[in-house]
């Protein structure tokens, strides 16, 4: 097994940089440093922690162009979307800087006691195992509330965005966070498992595949440690026959093809009522054909290469197997290295890979249905439960559909997206627990009952 990681630009196939995996001694040092730092960090005031958040936001703004370029080089994200990701991290910092004090305030409970309340105390070291598709946002939405609650964080990032992982550690250091408050380890799976088993690590947050989530959660469970899992998704985009296509076709296309389709909350299964189907397909296809596909370094590029060649090959395999079962290619399904063309499939049925499995790339699978009830049944026919979106002008009917969708999110006339103000997470094979908002901040605290007679 190699002791190094080489990051590769997926668009041109060129090596970027080679990194050495951390040795056991180096990882032990990281854990020891974090443990020492926690003893003092947990005692700092909320005011001091939120003041550091403001400095962290300034560091992000200061380094916006360099960080965006690094993200684009390592995983192929179009540069305009990379900049938007950094901006979203700034928003996250601002949100918790304004709201953390309120979120973490003692919750007074009226009992017969002289005083009774819930105190929200930090728990210690929290491990984050994070993916490559949003290399800054995924980490920040974990780290910002977790550290502000008084914990310390250890990051194990995806190998192909190792440069981003180290840059994030530098951001926290340069913002003035104590050494050991946020640290990155460059490690393989075996080393990561040993970190999770460390007595210092009290919990783990995982964003990634179902397979990775199950593996890490089993280790956490064996060691009686809490886990929050944000895993795969197979989001349905339901289009009823009274949908406003003039307004929302661009939103639907963005929901599938943003970040080159590499998003757990992307619209993947388009379930369209027959009364609007032909018009939808015509407009959707024209909108996809108008997308600027090309070099991710160009400001005007909307879609570029996928993050790795093997991911593109796996996606094409899912499409080809679906075509063999009767799906029809309306657009795309061509592959060149890591570059997979935006693809539209019709005649998609429930037994096809593009319906049953998560397609992590630029493929829109379209199914025609004959009524609204059928659309909701198909949308719910999935092992996953991250989010669903419904496009309709009948808002009252949309409200009636909310409890028929078991997912962690239900968006009407908007693409599913994460927002610092709202809890984010899934059900079923999409995981458990919540990130963001007050709910996310309280995932990694000890909700301590205090009773004074």
């Amino acid at each position: 097994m190699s002791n190094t990681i080489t990051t590769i630009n997926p668009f041109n196939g060129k090596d970027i940089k080679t990194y050495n995996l951390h040795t056991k001694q180096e990882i032990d040092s990281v854990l020891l440093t974090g443990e020492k730092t926690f003893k003092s960090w947990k005692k700092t005031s909320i005011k001091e922690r939120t003041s550091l958040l403001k400095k962290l936001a300034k560091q992000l703004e200061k380094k916006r162009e360099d960080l965006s370029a690094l993200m684009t080089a390592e995983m192929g994200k179009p540069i305009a979307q990379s900049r938007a990701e950094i901006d979203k991290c700034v928003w996250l910092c601002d949100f918790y800087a304004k709201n953390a004090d309120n979120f973490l305030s003692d919750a007074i409970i009226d009992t017969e006691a002289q005083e009774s309340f819930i105190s929200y105390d930090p728990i210690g070291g929290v491990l984050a195992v994070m993916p490559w598709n949003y290399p800054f946002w995924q980490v920040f939405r974990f780290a910002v509330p977790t550290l502000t609650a008084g914990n310390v964080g250890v990051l194990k990032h995806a190998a192909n965005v190792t440069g981003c992982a180290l840059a994030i550690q530098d951001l926290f250091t340069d913002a003035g966070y104590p050494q050991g408050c946020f640290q990155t380890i460059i490690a393989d799976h075996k080393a990561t498992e040993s970190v999770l088993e460390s007595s210092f690590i009290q919990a783990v947050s995982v964003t990634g595949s179902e397979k990775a989530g199950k593996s890490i959660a089993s280790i956490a469970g064996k060691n009686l440690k809490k886990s929050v899992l944000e895993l795969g998704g197979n989001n349905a985009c339901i289009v009823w026959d009274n949908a406003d296509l003039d307004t929302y076709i661009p939103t639907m296309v963005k929901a599938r093809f943003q970040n080159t389709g590499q998003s757990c909350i992307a619209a993947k299964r388009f379930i369209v009522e027959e009364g609007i189907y032909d018009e939808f397909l015509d407009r959707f296809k024209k909108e996809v054909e108008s997308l600027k596909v090309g070099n991710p370094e160009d400001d005007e590029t909307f879609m570029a290469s996928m993050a790795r060649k093997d991911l593109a090959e796996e996606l094409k395999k899912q499409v080809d197997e679906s075509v063999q079962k009767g799906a029809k290619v309306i657009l795309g399904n061509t592959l060149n290295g890591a570059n997979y063309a935006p693809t539209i499939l019709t005649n998609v049925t429930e037994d096809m890979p593009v319906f049953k499995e998560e397609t992590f790339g630029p493929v829109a699978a379209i199914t025609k249905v004959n009524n609204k009830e059928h659309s909701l049944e198909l949308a719910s026919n999935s092992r996953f439960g991250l989010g669903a979106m419904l496009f309709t002008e009948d808002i009252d009917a949309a409200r009636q559909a909310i409890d028929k969708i078991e997912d962690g999110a239900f968006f009407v006339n908007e693409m599913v997206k994460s927002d610092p103000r709202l809890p984010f997470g899934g059900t079923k094979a999409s995981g458990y627990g919540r990130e963001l908002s007050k709910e996310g901040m309280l995932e990694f605290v000890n909700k301590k009952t205090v009773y004074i007679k």
Side-chain angles (χ1 to χ4, degrees), residues 50 318 379:
T50 54
Q318 290 174 296

Side-chain angles (χ1 to χ4, degrees), residues 247-260:
T247 301
Y248 295 119
I249 278 290
T251 301
M252 297 179 205
V253 170
K254 183 179 180 182
R256 171 64 276 196
F257 295 99
Q258 180 178 257
N259 203 36
T260 314

Side-chain angles (χ1 to χ4, degrees), residues 395-417:
I395 302 303
D396 288 338
R399 291 181 186 278
Q400 295 300 314
I402 293 173
D403 63 355
K404 297 178 181 178
I405 300 292
E406 299 174 340
D407 294 19
F410 184 71
F411 280 54
V412 179
N413 293 332
E414 179 59 283
M415 60 187 282
V416 176
K417 54 188 176 181

Side-chain angles (χ1 to χ4, degrees), residues 9 29 74 92 98 146 151 156 179 187 237 292 356 403:
N9 184 314
S29 177
E74 286 196 326
L92 180 78
K98 294 173 183 175
T146 301
N151 302 298
K156 191 280 177 191
Q179 181 186 8
C237 176
K292 174 68 184 302
K356 296 191 300 181
D403 63 355

